[in-house]
Amino acid sequence: MTVVALASDETLLVLKLAFLVLLYAFIILIVRTATKDIGGAPQESIVLGAADAAALRARYGLQPARFVVVSAPGLRPGSKIEVSASMIVGRDAGSGISLDGDEFASTRHARIDPRPDGVWVEDLGSTNGTFVNGEQIGSRRLLQTGDVLRVGGTELKLES
Amino acid sequence: MTARGRELFGLVVASVIAGLALASVTMARSAEISADALTYAVLFLALYVAAHIVVRRTAPYADGALLPVTAALTGIGLAVNYRLDADDARRQALWVLIGVVVLAATLILLRHDYRVLESYRYLFGIAAVLLLFLPAVPGLGERVNGVRLWVHVGPLQFQPGELAKIFLILFLAGYLREKREVLAQGRLKEFGPLLAIWGAAMLVIVQTADLGSALLNFGIFLAMLYVATGRGLFVAAGLGLFVGGATLLYQALDRVQERVTIWLHPWTDERVYCALNGKLELRQDCASYQLVKSLYSIANGGYAGTGLGEGTFTTTDGTELIPHLRTDFIYSAIAQEIGLVGSAALILLYMLFIVRGMRVALRADDGFSKLLAAGLTFGFALQTFIIVGGVLRIVPLTGITLPFVSYGGSSIVANFLLLAGLLLVSHRANVPRSP
């Protein structure tokens, strides 16, 4: 054993403080890196993974959701839109349903998600909000047949 | 930074923490500053860097926080064990080394697809029951403190319950994955094999009087059943069964009554009958001696603690104040030496491990992986809660180990296996798929 110096109460105190400070620094480090990569694929339940869910949908022959355009700046009224998998509605050209020309719609406005229990719509933090039958939705909402969904200046009606 | 880069950086910080902890202990003991702690920190880091390299090769997309948190926990555990008994700490260090080897071996063996384990689910179920049964076999098992936990094979001794817990989780993950849909509909006959294996495990545990394991395995069973079926009714029914069973056990076993009495009334003003020596004693001097001394130990730590290596665990003539301090009661030793601030950090480390584990379960892509990760994480969480809660008098005390920290080889190795499972599941969940 190589003796470097005699320890005193002060060095012990410094060590104790260093230990505690470093321990909390370590925790903060882990928490910060841990919160960075949260997210990923949204999943329906803790048991059903995305792959399992897709397989189940295929097996039970899930019906695609059919919408009719009521009024829209960029789409032809009366035209039909089919949504067979989770899809984003927005002004972004890469959106599943692109609302190019609708100035009131956000880039990524809302998500339409057909699930075994029905068609869900979720607002993705849009500027002007998402409305169902004129009523603004908080986060997620299950649509009924005949419901009118308003995204920006675009109105879509759910058909059976 | 990638997950592996964060992991390596975290391991370096964890090794510095381990080195600092050991330096405090040696310095408080010998009043000399020596370079030993530095050598130790370097060796500690080398061991975990070896583990890191294996993870990099076998599971490059695995979660990057689990291994550093484990390293920090074992680092604190080793320092506190060293402070309490230097010889045992060397043995513990050897167990951590073996644990890392087991982790590496598991990762290498199962690197292609751990899901092959699902096809051996019944084998795991039966093996779990057999392992739990081992300590009750005459000639093999040994009774320590009225509990049959240990198995002796020649010079080796181990606690099979720790391994049995992981096998039980593997069985439940495989079985519940297969029967999830029919179970969710509540058809009673489908519960047959499940209840058979689980009931056998419980019978064995009650026979060995190991109440901590019984509580732990029952909790894991209920949590995994809930995760698989999503039906709160099953949990309610299970809790009802638990309350019923606990009441029966309370009536039937003196041991359970004593545990509850100690928990609710550790102190008495009058002398009561003491079963240990047959005389009338104050309860704090007899049945609840261990718990009361442990509470005093925690209180002595205060906010900032006495400092590592400076706590009081023996009387002036060198007698140990708290029996089983290094295994069941290590939390009260830690709480005294690093205080509320430090032990809160320790609990935070456990919570980080649990949060990461649950996240692995959320991200996993198939039912078996999800159930496996959720079961392993919940088992880890419940075990920590049962022993820390017991020491802090939140729940009745049942002796089980504090994961990665308590002295004990079986526990260390089993928890490294658990870590290997979580790393494998998270690697598979995070592998980028070609669109």
Side-chain angles (χ1 to χ4, degrees), chain A residues 2 4-7 15-16 22 24 26 33-34 37 43 46-47 49 51-52, chain B residues 6 10 16 20 27 31 33-34 68 180 227 304-305 341 356 359 362 365 367 370:
Chain A
T2 48
V4 182
L6 278 180
L15 268 182
K16 178 173 146 183
L22 202 62
Y24 275 93
F26 177 75
T33 56
D37 53 4
Q43 308 219 332
I46 187 162
V47 164
D52 281 357
Chain B
R6 289 197 295 271
V16 177
L20 275 177
M27 235 175 262
I33 299 169
S34 80
R180 191 169 53 78
V227 168
V341 178
R356 297 308 286 185
R359 192 177 155 276
L362 275 172
D365 225 20
K370 272 176 181 289

PDB file of all heavy atoms in Angstrom, chain A residues 2 4-7 15-16 22 24 26 33-34 37 43 46-47 49 51-52, chain B residues 6 10 16 20 27 31 33-34 68 180 227 304-305 341 356 359 362 365 367 370:
ATOM      1  N   THR A   2       0.646   2.123  -0.908  1.00  0.00           N
ATOM      2  CA  THR A   2       1.420   3.362  -0.936  1.00  0.00           C
ATOM      3  C   THR A   2       0.647   4.437  -0.187  1.00  0.00           C
ATOM      4  O   THR A   2      -0.478   4.764  -0.554  1.00  0.00           O
ATOM      5  CB  THR A   2       1.662   3.822  -2.370  1.00  0.00           C
ATOM      6  OG1 THR A   2       0.425   3.768  -3.060  1.00  0.00           O
ATOM      7  CG2 THR A   2       2.688   2.953  -3.066  1.00  0.00           C
ATOM      8  N   VAL A   4      -0.074   8.049   0.592  1.00  0.00           N
ATOM      9  CA  VAL A   4       0.163   9.342  -0.059  1.00  0.00           C
ATOM     10  C   VAL A   4       0.208  10.452   0.986  1.00  0.00           C
ATOM     11  O   VAL A   4       1.105  11.267   1.001  1.00  0.00           O
ATOM     12  CB  VAL A   4      -0.934   9.628  -1.104  1.00  0.00           C
ATOM     13  CG1 VAL A   4      -0.657  10.946  -1.796  1.00  0.00           C
ATOM     14  CG2 VAL A   4      -0.988   8.490  -2.114  1.00  0.00           C
ATOM     15  N   ALA A   5      -0.752  10.444   1.880  1.00  0.00           N
ATOM     16  CA  ALA A   5      -0.774  11.473   2.915  1.00  0.00           C
ATOM     17  C   ALA A   5      -1.681  10.988   4.032  1.00  0.00           C
ATOM     18  O   ALA A   5      -2.394  10.007   3.864  1.00  0.00           O
ATOM     19  CB  ALA A   5      -1.293  12.788   2.353  1.00  0.00           C
ATOM     20  N   LEU A   6      -1.629  11.617   5.148  1.00  0.00           N
ATOM     21  CA  LEU A   6      -2.523  11.259   6.234  1.00  0.00           C
ATOM     22  C   LEU A   6      -3.870  11.922   6.024  1.00  0.00           C
ATOM     23  O   LEU A   6      -3.948  13.105   5.690  1.00  0.00           O
ATOM     24  CB  LEU A   6      -1.920  11.689   7.573  1.00  0.00           C
ATOM     25  CG  LEU A   6      -0.881  10.726   8.161  1.00  0.00           C
ATOM     26  CD1 LEU A   6      -0.375  11.260   9.477  1.00  0.00           C
ATOM     27  CD2 LEU A   6      -1.454   9.339   8.320  1.00  0.00           C
ATOM     28  N   ALA A   7      -4.921  11.149   6.202  1.00  0.00           N
ATOM     29  CA  ALA A   7      -6.257  11.701   5.992  1.00  0.00           C
ATOM     30  C   ALA A   7      -6.693  12.493   7.206  1.00  0.00           C
ATOM     31  O   ALA A   7      -6.332  12.167   8.322  1.00  0.00           O
ATOM     32  CB  ALA A   7      -7.234  10.559   5.749  1.00  0.00           C
ATOM     33  N   LEU A  15     -14.464  14.050   0.501  1.00  0.00           N
ATOM     34  CA  LEU A  15     -14.805  12.791  -0.187  1.00  0.00           C
ATOM     35  C   LEU A  15     -16.301  12.517  -0.126  1.00  0.00           C
ATOM     36  O   LEU A  15     -16.910  12.123  -1.108  1.00  0.00           O
ATOM     37  CB  LEU A  15     -14.065  11.638   0.475  1.00  0.00           C
ATOM     38  CG  LEU A  15     -12.714  11.264  -0.108  1.00  0.00           C
ATOM     39  CD1 LEU A  15     -12.153  10.067   0.629  1.00  0.00           C
ATOM     40  CD2 LEU A  15     -12.857  10.926  -1.593  1.00  0.00           C
ATOM     41  N   LYS A  16     -16.876  12.733   1.052  1.00  0.00           N
ATOM     42  CA  LYS A  16     -18.299  12.485   1.239  1.00  0.00           C
ATOM     43  C   LYS A  16     -19.121  13.376   0.307  1.00  0.00           C
ATOM     44  O   LYS A  16     -20.043  12.908  -0.373  1.00  0.00           O
ATOM     45  CB  LYS A  16     -18.641  12.777   2.698  1.00  0.00           C
ATOM     46  CG  LYS A  16     -20.083  12.610   3.076  1.00  0.00           C
ATOM     47  CD  LYS A  16     -20.214  12.761   4.579  1.00  0.00           C
ATOM     48  CE  LYS A  16     -21.513  13.401   4.974  1.00  0.00           C
ATOM     49  NZ  LYS A  16     -21.601  13.609   6.421  1.00  0.00           N
ATOM     50  N   LEU A  22     -21.448  13.607  -7.054  1.00  0.00           N
ATOM     51  CA  LEU A  22     -21.255  12.805  -8.258  1.00  0.00           C
ATOM     52  C   LEU A  22     -22.407  11.821  -8.457  1.00  0.00           C
ATOM     53  O   LEU A  22     -22.849  11.563  -9.585  1.00  0.00           O
ATOM     54  CB  LEU A  22     -19.924  12.056  -8.169  1.00  0.00           C
ATOM     55  CG  LEU A  22     -19.346  11.628  -9.504  1.00  0.00           C
ATOM     56  CD1 LEU A  22     -19.039  12.841 -10.361  1.00  0.00           C
ATOM     57  CD2 LEU A  22     -18.088  10.798  -9.319  1.00  0.00           C
ATOM     58  N   TYR A  24     -25.535  12.255  -7.616  1.00  0.00           N
ATOM     59  CA  TYR A  24     -26.675  12.967  -8.192  1.00  0.00           C
ATOM     60  C   TYR A  24     -26.391  13.396  -9.632  1.00  0.00           C
ATOM     61  O   TYR A  24     -27.289  13.382 -10.480  1.00  0.00           O
ATOM     62  CB  TYR A  24     -27.076  14.158  -7.320  1.00  0.00           C
ATOM     63  CG  TYR A  24     -28.005  13.728  -6.210  1.00  0.00           C
ATOM     64  CD1 TYR A  24     -27.517  13.382  -4.963  1.00  0.00           C
ATOM     65  CD2 TYR A  24     -29.360  13.601  -6.434  1.00  0.00           C
ATOM     66  CE1 TYR A  24     -28.360  12.943  -3.955  1.00  0.00           C
ATOM     67  CE2 TYR A  24     -30.216  13.171  -5.446  1.00  0.00           C
ATOM     68  CZ  TYR A  24     -29.707  12.843  -4.204  1.00  0.00           C
ATOM     69  OH  TYR A  24     -30.556  12.401  -3.233  1.00  0.00           O
ATOM     70  N   PHE A  26     -24.632  11.749 -11.717  1.00  0.00           N
ATOM     71  CA  PHE A  26     -24.821  10.508 -12.483  1.00  0.00           C
ATOM     72  C   PHE A  26     -26.308  10.293 -12.779  1.00  0.00           C
ATOM     73  O   PHE A  26     -26.700   9.979 -13.908  1.00  0.00           O
ATOM     74  CB  PHE A  26     -24.249   9.348 -11.670  1.00  0.00           C
ATOM     75  CG  PHE A  26     -24.436   7.990 -12.292  1.00  0.00           C
ATOM     76  CD1 PHE A  26     -23.658   7.596 -13.364  1.00  0.00           C
ATOM     77  CD2 PHE A  26     -25.385   7.111 -11.791  1.00  0.00           C
ATOM     78  CE1 PHE A  26     -23.823   6.339 -13.931  1.00  0.00           C
ATOM     79  CE2 PHE A  26     -25.550   5.856 -12.349  1.00  0.00           C
ATOM     80  CZ  PHE A  26     -24.768   5.478 -13.418  1.00  0.00           C
ATOM     81  N   THR A  33     -30.326  11.577 -20.656  1.00  0.00           N
ATOM     82  CA  THR A  33     -30.214  10.747 -21.854  1.00  0.00           C
ATOM     83  C   THR A  33     -31.453   9.877 -22.012  1.00  0.00           C
ATOM     84  O   THR A  33     -31.851   9.552 -23.113  1.00  0.00           O
ATOM     85  CB  THR A  33     -28.969   9.843 -21.794  1.00  0.00           C
ATOM     86  OG1 THR A  33     -29.039   9.063 -20.616  1.00  0.00           O
ATOM     87  CG2 THR A  33     -27.704  10.647 -21.797  1.00  0.00           C
ATOM     88  N   ALA A  34     -32.071   9.539 -20.867  1.00  0.00           N
ATOM     89  CA  ALA A  34     -33.230   8.653 -20.944  1.00  0.00           C
ATOM     90  C   ALA A  34     -34.439   9.359 -21.530  1.00  0.00           C
ATOM     91  O   ALA A  34     -35.236   8.759 -22.227  1.00  0.00           O
ATOM     92  CB  ALA A  34     -33.562   8.111 -19.556  1.00  0.00           C
ATOM     93  N   ASP A  37     -34.689   9.829 -25.812  1.00  0.00           N
ATOM     94  CA  ASP A  37     -35.127   8.869 -26.835  1.00  0.00           C
ATOM     95  C   ASP A  37     -36.483   8.237 -26.520  1.00  0.00           C
ATOM     96  O   ASP A  37     -36.806   7.189 -27.028  1.00  0.00           O
ATOM     97  CB  ASP A  37     -34.066   7.798 -27.031  1.00  0.00           C
ATOM     98  CG  ASP A  37     -33.683   7.144 -25.726  1.00  0.00           C
ATOM     99  OD1 ASP A  37     -34.303   7.469 -24.702  1.00  0.00           O
ATOM    100  OD2 ASP A  37     -32.776   6.334 -25.730  1.00  0.00           O
ATOM    101  N   GLN A  43     -47.963   2.661 -29.520  1.00  0.00           N
ATOM    102  CA  GLN A  43     -48.427   1.292 -29.462  1.00  0.00           C
ATOM    103  C   GLN A  43     -49.798   1.244 -28.819  1.00  0.00           C
ATOM    104  O   GLN A  43     -50.155   2.089 -28.010  1.00  0.00           O
ATOM    105  CB  GLN A  43     -47.426   0.462 -28.670  1.00  0.00           C
ATOM    106  CG  GLN A  43     -46.034   0.654 -29.214  1.00  0.00           C
ATOM    107  CD  GLN A  43     -45.246  -0.614 -29.217  1.00  0.00           C
ATOM    108  OE1 GLN A  43     -45.470  -1.489 -28.406  1.00  0.00           O
ATOM    109  NE2 GLN A  43     -44.330  -0.732 -30.146  1.00  0.00           N
ATOM    110  N   ILE A  46     -49.691  -2.485 -23.891  1.00  0.00           N
ATOM    111  CA  ILE A  46     -48.368  -2.946 -23.473  1.00  0.00           C
ATOM    112  C   ILE A  46     -48.098  -4.337 -24.027  1.00  0.00           C
ATOM    113  O   ILE A  46     -46.966  -4.708 -24.282  1.00  0.00           O
ATOM    114  CB  ILE A  46     -48.229  -2.896 -21.938  1.00  0.00           C
ATOM    115  CG1 ILE A  46     -46.797  -3.203 -21.536  1.00  0.00           C
ATOM    116  CG2 ILE A  46     -49.188  -3.799 -21.231  1.00  0.00           C
ATOM    117  CD1 ILE A  46     -46.420  -2.800 -20.165  1.00  0.00           C
ATOM    118  N   VAL A  47     -49.133  -5.119 -24.283  1.00  0.00           N
ATOM    119  CA  VAL A  47     -48.900  -6.481 -24.770  1.00  0.00           C
ATOM    120  C   VAL A  47     -48.826  -6.549 -26.276  1.00  0.00           C
ATOM    121  O   VAL A  47     -47.980  -7.229 -26.841  1.00  0.00           O
ATOM    122  CB  VAL A  47     -50.004  -7.421 -24.229  1.00  0.00           C
ATOM    123  CG1 VAL A  47     -50.013  -8.702 -25.005  1.00  0.00           C
ATOM    124  CG2 VAL A  47     -49.737  -7.703 -22.778  1.00  0.00           C
ATOM    125  N   GLY A  49     -47.642  -5.565 -29.587  1.00  0.00           N
ATOM    126  CA  GLY A  49     -46.644  -4.771 -30.273  1.00  0.00           C
ATOM    127  C   GLY A  49     -47.174  -4.301 -31.610  1.00  0.00           C
ATOM    128  O   GLY A  49     -48.203  -4.776 -32.086  1.00  0.00           O
ATOM    129  N   ALA A  51     -46.054  -4.863 -34.563  1.00  0.00           N
ATOM    130  CA  ALA A  51     -46.070  -5.943 -35.550  1.00  0.00           C
ATOM    131  C   ALA A  51     -47.260  -6.869 -35.312  1.00  0.00           C
ATOM    132  O   ALA A  51     -47.965  -7.254 -36.256  1.00  0.00           O
ATOM    133  CB  ALA A  51     -44.760  -6.732 -35.467  1.00  0.00           C
ATOM    134  N   ASP A  52     -47.484  -7.203 -34.020  1.00  0.00           N
ATOM    135  CA  ASP A  52     -48.620  -8.063 -33.681  1.00  0.00           C
ATOM    136  C   ASP A  52     -49.932  -7.415 -34.087  1.00  0.00           C
ATOM    137  O   ASP A  52     -50.827  -8.060 -34.620  1.00  0.00           O
ATOM    138  CB  ASP A  52     -48.654  -8.310 -32.169  1.00  0.00           C
ATOM    139  CG  ASP A  52     -47.638  -9.361 -31.755  1.00  0.00           C
ATOM    140  OD1 ASP A  52     -46.980  -9.905 -32.670  1.00  0.00           O
ATOM    141  OD2 ASP A  52     -47.494  -9.615 -30.556  1.00  0.00           O
TER     142      ASP A  52
ATOM    143  N   ARG B   6     -23.165   6.524 -24.688  1.00  0.00           N
ATOM    144  CA  ARG B   6     -23.699   6.970 -23.392  1.00  0.00           C
ATOM    145  C   ARG B   6     -23.402   5.932 -22.324  1.00  0.00           C
ATOM    146  O   ARG B   6     -23.086   6.269 -21.191  1.00  0.00           O
ATOM    147  CB  ARG B   6     -25.216   7.166 -23.499  1.00  0.00           C
ATOM    148  CG  ARG B   6     -25.617   8.356 -24.328  1.00  0.00           C
ATOM    149  CD  ARG B   6     -27.058   8.716 -24.036  1.00  0.00           C
ATOM    150  NE  ARG B   6     -28.001   7.696 -24.444  1.00  0.00           N
ATOM    151  CZ  ARG B   6     -28.548   7.628 -25.640  1.00  0.00           C
ATOM    152  NH1 ARG B   6     -28.252   8.520 -26.554  1.00  0.00           N
ATOM    153  NH2 ARG B   6     -29.404   6.681 -25.939  1.00  0.00           N
ATOM    154  N   GLY B  10     -21.340   6.602 -18.969  1.00  0.00           N
ATOM    155  CA  GLY B  10     -21.978   6.313 -17.689  1.00  0.00           C
ATOM    156  C   GLY B  10     -21.151   5.359 -16.842  1.00  0.00           C
ATOM    157  O   GLY B  10     -21.054   5.518 -15.623  1.00  0.00           O
ATOM    158  N   VAL B  16     -15.987   5.991 -11.066  1.00  0.00           N
ATOM    159  CA  VAL B  16     -15.459   7.034 -10.179  1.00  0.00           C
ATOM    160  C   VAL B  16     -16.249   7.030  -8.868  1.00  0.00           C
ATOM    161  O   VAL B  16     -15.670   7.129  -7.777  1.00  0.00           O
ATOM    162  CB  VAL B  16     -15.522   8.421 -10.862  1.00  0.00           C
ATOM    163  CG1 VAL B  16     -15.041   9.499  -9.899  1.00  0.00           C
ATOM    164  CG2 VAL B  16     -14.686   8.420 -12.125  1.00  0.00           C
ATOM    165  N   LEU B  20     -14.653   6.442  -5.256  1.00  0.00           N
ATOM    166  CA  LEU B  20     -14.815   7.414  -4.166  1.00  0.00           C
ATOM    167  C   LEU B  20     -15.381   6.748  -2.924  1.00  0.00           C
ATOM    168  O   LEU B  20     -14.928   7.013  -1.802  1.00  0.00           O
ATOM    169  CB  LEU B  20     -15.757   8.536  -4.603  1.00  0.00           C
ATOM    170  CG  LEU B  20     -15.155   9.704  -5.375  1.00  0.00           C
ATOM    171  CD1 LEU B  20     -16.248  10.672  -5.771  1.00  0.00           C
ATOM    172  CD2 LEU B  20     -14.128  10.410  -4.504  1.00  0.00           C
ATOM    173  N   MET B  27     -10.219   5.216   4.044  1.00  0.00           N
ATOM    174  CA  MET B  27      -9.641   6.350   4.741  1.00  0.00           C
ATOM    175  C   MET B  27     -10.186   6.493   6.142  1.00  0.00           C
ATOM    176  O   MET B  27      -9.450   6.796   7.085  1.00  0.00           O
ATOM    177  CB  MET B  27      -9.941   7.610   3.964  1.00  0.00           C
ATOM    178  CG  MET B  27      -8.703   8.364   3.634  1.00  0.00           C
ATOM    179  SD  MET B  27      -9.171   9.717   2.632  1.00  0.00           S
ATOM    180  CE  MET B  27      -8.798   9.059   1.066  1.00  0.00           C
ATOM    181  N   ALA B  31      -7.203   6.001   8.414  1.00  0.00           N
ATOM    182  CA  ALA B  31      -6.735   7.384   8.518  1.00  0.00           C
ATOM    183  C   ALA B  31      -5.556   7.654   7.595  1.00  0.00           C
ATOM    184  O   ALA B  31      -4.734   8.509   7.852  1.00  0.00           O
ATOM    185  CB  ALA B  31      -6.392   7.763   9.957  1.00  0.00           C
ATOM    186  N   ILE B  33      -4.440   8.068   3.368  1.00  0.00           N
ATOM    187  CA  ILE B  33      -4.885   8.138   1.976  1.00  0.00           C
ATOM    188  C   ILE B  33      -4.000   7.179   1.190  1.00  0.00           C
ATOM    189  O   ILE B  33      -2.786   7.317   1.175  1.00  0.00           O
ATOM    190  CB  ILE B  33      -4.752   9.562   1.420  1.00  0.00           C
ATOM    191  CG1 ILE B  33      -5.630  10.512   2.241  1.00  0.00           C
ATOM    192  CG2 ILE B  33      -5.137   9.604  -0.034  1.00  0.00           C
ATOM    193  CD1 ILE B  33      -5.379  11.965   1.967  1.00  0.00           C
ATOM    194  N   SER B  34      -4.605   6.189   0.598  1.00  0.00           N
ATOM    195  CA  SER B  34      -3.790   5.237  -0.153  1.00  0.00           C
ATOM    196  C   SER B  34      -4.253   5.199  -1.603  1.00  0.00           C
ATOM    197  O   SER B  34      -5.327   5.689  -1.943  1.00  0.00           O
ATOM    198  CB  SER B  34      -3.887   3.860   0.472  1.00  0.00           C
ATOM    199  OG  SER B  34      -5.079   3.252   0.048  1.00  0.00           O
ATOM    200  N   PRO B  68     -24.837   1.047 -16.830  1.00  0.00           N
ATOM    201  CA  PRO B  68     -24.247   2.002 -15.884  1.00  0.00           C
ATOM    202  C   PRO B  68     -24.959   2.038 -14.532  1.00  0.00           C
ATOM    203  O   PRO B  68     -24.298   2.129 -13.492  1.00  0.00           O
ATOM    204  CB  PRO B  68     -24.375   3.352 -16.598  1.00  0.00           C
ATOM    205  CG  PRO B  68     -24.454   3.019 -18.027  1.00  0.00           C
ATOM    206  CD  PRO B  68     -25.157   1.701 -18.109  1.00  0.00           C
ATOM    207  N   ARG B 180     -53.114 -15.671 -23.981  1.00  0.00           N
ATOM    208  CA  ARG B 180     -53.584 -14.352 -23.607  1.00  0.00           C
ATOM    209  C   ARG B 180     -55.054 -14.125 -23.959  1.00  0.00           C
ATOM    210  O   ARG B 180     -55.859 -13.689 -23.143  1.00  0.00           O
ATOM    211  CB  ARG B 180     -52.717 -13.317 -24.306  1.00  0.00           C
ATOM    212  CG  ARG B 180     -52.876 -11.918 -23.857  1.00  0.00           C
ATOM    213  CD  ARG B 180     -51.774 -11.080 -24.449  1.00  0.00           C
ATOM    214  NE  ARG B 180     -51.704 -11.229 -25.892  1.00  0.00           N
ATOM    215  CZ  ARG B 180     -52.516 -10.637 -26.737  1.00  0.00           C
ATOM    216  NH1 ARG B 180     -53.458  -9.865 -26.270  1.00  0.00           N
ATOM    217  NH2 ARG B 180     -52.395 -10.812 -28.021  1.00  0.00           N
ATOM    218  N   VAL B 227     -50.787  -7.551 -17.197  1.00  0.00           N
ATOM    219  CA  VAL B 227     -50.166  -7.052 -18.422  1.00  0.00           C
ATOM    220  C   VAL B 227     -50.668  -7.847 -19.624  1.00  0.00           C
ATOM    221  O   VAL B 227     -50.923  -7.305 -20.691  1.00  0.00           O
ATOM    222  CB  VAL B 227     -48.626  -7.134 -18.314  1.00  0.00           C
ATOM    223  CG1 VAL B 227     -47.974  -6.906 -19.661  1.00  0.00           C
ATOM    224  CG2 VAL B 227     -48.114  -6.114 -17.316  1.00  0.00           C
ATOM    225  N   ALA B 304     -27.482  13.967   6.070  1.00  0.00           N
ATOM    226  CA  ALA B 304     -26.306  13.792   5.223  1.00  0.00           C
ATOM    227  C   ALA B 304     -25.514  12.536   5.563  1.00  0.00           C
ATOM    228  O   ALA B 304     -24.570  12.199   4.861  1.00  0.00           O
ATOM    229  CB  ALA B 304     -25.404  15.009   5.318  1.00  0.00           C
ATOM    230  N   GLY B 305     -25.887  11.837   6.640  1.00  0.00           N
ATOM    231  CA  GLY B 305     -25.190  10.606   6.976  1.00  0.00           C
ATOM    232  C   GLY B 305     -23.925  10.839   7.767  1.00  0.00           C
ATOM    233  O   GLY B 305     -23.407  11.951   7.837  1.00  0.00           O
ATOM    234  N   VAL B 341     -30.038  11.925   2.104  1.00  0.00           N
ATOM    235  CA  VAL B 341     -29.678  12.410   0.764  1.00  0.00           C
ATOM    236  C   VAL B 341     -29.121  11.269  -0.081  1.00  0.00           C
ATOM    237  O   VAL B 341     -29.519  11.054  -1.228  1.00  0.00           O
ATOM    238  CB  VAL B 341     -28.637  13.541   0.888  1.00  0.00           C
ATOM    239  CG1 VAL B 341     -28.200  14.025  -0.475  1.00  0.00           C
ATOM    240  CG2 VAL B 341     -29.197  14.695   1.701  1.00  0.00           C
ATOM    241  N   ARG B 356     -36.400   2.351 -17.051  1.00  0.00           N
ATOM    242  CA  ARG B 356     -35.807   1.866 -18.304  1.00  0.00           C
ATOM    243  C   ARG B 356     -36.366   0.498 -18.670  1.00  0.00           C
ATOM    244  O   ARG B 356     -36.657   0.224 -19.835  1.00  0.00           O
ATOM    245  CB  ARG B 356     -34.281   1.794 -18.197  1.00  0.00           C
ATOM    246  CG  ARG B 356     -33.599   3.121 -17.962  1.00  0.00           C
ATOM    247  CD  ARG B 356     -33.991   4.154 -18.941  1.00  0.00           C
ATOM    248  NE  ARG B 356     -33.395   3.962 -20.254  1.00  0.00           N
ATOM    249  CZ  ARG B 356     -33.519   4.813 -21.249  1.00  0.00           C
ATOM    250  NH1 ARG B 356     -34.237   5.916 -21.094  1.00  0.00           N
ATOM    251  NH2 ARG B 356     -32.961   4.589 -22.396  1.00  0.00           N
ATOM    252  N   ARG B 359     -39.786   0.774 -20.037  1.00  0.00           N
ATOM    253  CA  ARG B 359     -39.721   1.342 -21.371  1.00  0.00           C
ATOM    254  C   ARG B 359     -39.344   0.257 -22.390  1.00  0.00           C
ATOM    255  O   ARG B 359     -39.866   0.217 -23.500  1.00  0.00           O
ATOM    256  CB  ARG B 359     -38.688   2.458 -21.392  1.00  0.00           C
ATOM    257  CG  ARG B 359     -38.765   3.266 -22.635  1.00  0.00           C
ATOM    258  CD  ARG B 359     -37.802   4.404 -22.599  1.00  0.00           C
ATOM    259  NE  ARG B 359     -37.503   4.764 -23.958  1.00  0.00           N
ATOM    260  CZ  ARG B 359     -36.595   4.154 -24.686  1.00  0.00           C
ATOM    261  NH1 ARG B 359     -35.900   3.192 -24.177  1.00  0.00           N
ATOM    262  NH2 ARG B 359     -36.406   4.516 -25.927  1.00  0.00           N
ATOM    263  N   LEU B 362     -42.429  -1.538 -23.125  1.00  0.00           N
ATOM    264  CA  LEU B 362     -43.334  -0.774 -23.987  1.00  0.00           C
ATOM    265  C   LEU B 362     -42.904  -0.828 -25.436  1.00  0.00           C
ATOM    266  O   LEU B 362     -43.727  -0.882 -26.337  1.00  0.00           O
ATOM    267  CB  LEU B 362     -43.368   0.694 -23.527  1.00  0.00           C
ATOM    268  CG  LEU B 362     -44.345   1.012 -22.418  1.00  0.00           C
ATOM    269  CD1 LEU B 362     -44.134   2.435 -21.948  1.00  0.00           C
ATOM    270  CD2 LEU B 362     -45.764   0.834 -22.901  1.00  0.00           C
ATOM    271  N   ASP B 365     -41.642  -5.557 -29.525  1.00  0.00           N
ATOM    272  CA  ASP B 365     -42.547  -5.694 -30.652  1.00  0.00           C
ATOM    273  C   ASP B 365     -43.468  -6.900 -30.568  1.00  0.00           C
ATOM    274  O   ASP B 365     -44.462  -6.952 -31.265  1.00  0.00           O
ATOM    275  CB  ASP B 365     -41.713  -5.771 -31.939  1.00  0.00           C
ATOM    276  CG  ASP B 365     -42.313  -4.885 -32.995  1.00  0.00           C
ATOM    277  OD1 ASP B 365     -43.079  -3.987 -32.608  1.00  0.00           O
ATOM    278  OD2 ASP B 365     -42.031  -5.100 -34.173  1.00  0.00           O
ATOM    279  N   GLY B 367     -45.444 -10.114 -28.093  1.00  0.00           N
ATOM    280  CA  GLY B 367     -46.001 -10.329 -26.764  1.00  0.00           C
ATOM    281  C   GLY B 367     -45.039 -10.984 -25.793  1.00  0.00           C
ATOM    282  O   GLY B 367     -44.972 -10.600 -24.626  1.00  0.00           O
ATOM    283  N   LYS B 370     -42.498  -8.462 -24.587  1.00  0.00           N
ATOM    284  CA  LYS B 370     -43.132  -7.483 -23.711  1.00  0.00           C
ATOM    285  C   LYS B 370     -43.372  -8.074 -22.335  1.00  0.00           C
ATOM    286  O   LYS B 370     -43.034  -7.473 -21.312  1.00  0.00           O
ATOM    287  CB  LYS B 370     -44.463  -7.042 -24.305  1.00  0.00           C
ATOM    288  CG  LYS B 370     -44.353  -5.883 -25.261  1.00  0.00           C
ATOM    289  CD  LYS B 370     -45.691  -5.583 -25.851  1.00  0.00           C
ATOM    290  CE  LYS B 370     -45.594  -4.439 -26.826  1.00  0.00           C
ATOM    291  NZ  LYS B 370     -45.361  -3.160 -26.173  1.00  0.00           N
TER     292      LYS B 370
END
